[in-house]
Amino acid sequence: LVHLAANGAEAIHIAQKEKIDGVLLDMKIPDMSGLEIIKKIKSINSTIPIMMMSGFSEDSLLKNAMDYGATYFFTKPFNIHEIINGVKSVLL
């Protein structure tokens, strides 16, 4: 089952209410930063694997995402096979 969230608040609400096996999250979300969302989702369930994607490839952004608990970090434009392999490794 896939859940889609239009913003950070909705993503956090889904994480609170549903059993989540993994999260694919963009760094830029309308109502809060991806880092804020990682922190809140990890406070709900620290074992949820979170895969981040961003159009920015700054080392500090990658480091911050990993420090907050991201499992993978994909830089746009990415090859769809990168995402597929990341999701497979998290879910299998």
Side-chain angles (χ1 to χ4, degrees), residues 25-87:
L25 175 65
D26 200 324
M27 189 59 74
K28 295 278 186 179
I29 304 294
D31 60 345
M32 65 182 70
S33 78
L35 294 177
E36 291 176 282
I37 298 168
I38 292 174
K39 187 175 180 181
K40 290 181 181 192
I41 289 176
K42 287 293 190 172
S43 73
I44 295 165
N45 182 342
S46 63
T47 65
I48 295 174
I50 298 178
M51 296 163 280
M52 295 295 304
M53 57 183 151
S54 177
F56 305 97
S57 61
E58 301 165 12
D59 289 338
S60 62
L61 187 60
L62 170 62
K63 182 183 178 330
N64 286 339
M66 298 310 246
D67 287 347
Y68 276 72
T71 308
Y72 287 98
F73 190 95
F74 304 105
T75 303
K76 297 175 191 175
F78 45 77
N79 180 308
I80 191 63
H81 297 290
E82 290 178 81
I83 301 293
I84 291 168
N85 289 335
V87 170

